[in-house]
Amino acid sequence: MTAPTLPSYLGFEATVIPILLYTGTTFSQTISPSGTGVFPTGTTVQLVLTSPGGAALGTWSATVTPTTATWSVANTIADLIPVNTRYLITVTFLTTPVTTFPWFTGVVLRPKF
């Protein structure tokens, strides 16, 4: 008899990827459920920004359709977010009880162009 192989963590693991913000430009991003998945009615998706020390810097809510979550954040707002800001994108489903999952996480990078 062998013991089952267990994961090295418990809970849902968000995909780690940086966000690129270019000074003077709009932050525009669209993400979709995988495969043929859809967002159920009432689903919300938020991008939560915090400083490296954990202070809240803002929350950007996506416009959600059955197949996409889309952001369009004006440069006048996006330019205020400093490099190395932490972010977490969460998706909330109107289940009973309501469930919120981490989807993406990472840091803000500001490439020079």
Side-chain angles (χ1 to χ4, degrees), residues 2 5 7 16 22 30 34 51 62 77 93 108:
T2 60
T5 302
V16 179
Y22 292 88
T30 299
S34 58
S51 72
I77 296 169
F93 300 105
V108 170

Side-chain angles (χ1 to χ4, degrees), residues 3-92:
T5 302
L6 299 175
S8 58
Y9 58 87
L10 296 176
F12 189 86
E13 185 176 21
T15 300
V16 179
I17 188 168
I19 286 181
L20 303 178
L21 295 179
Y22 292 88
T23 301
T25 66
T26 299
F27 171 71
S28 181
Q29 182 66 50
T30 299
I31 54 179
S32 300
S34 58
T36 59
V38 296
F39 292 120
T41 300
T43 299
T44 59
V45 180
Q46 296 188 314
L47 192 158
V48 180
L49 299 154
T50 57
S51 72
L57 297 178
T59 299
W60 300 344
S61 295
T63 299
V64 179
T65 71
T67 57
T68 63
T70 303
W71 291 267
S72 182
V73 180
N75 71 292
T76 54
I77 296 169
D79 285 353
L80 300 175
I81 305 303
V83 69
N84 292 326
T85 291
R86 294 348 186 213
Y87 83 90
L88 175 66
I89 293 177
T90 61
V91 59
T92 301

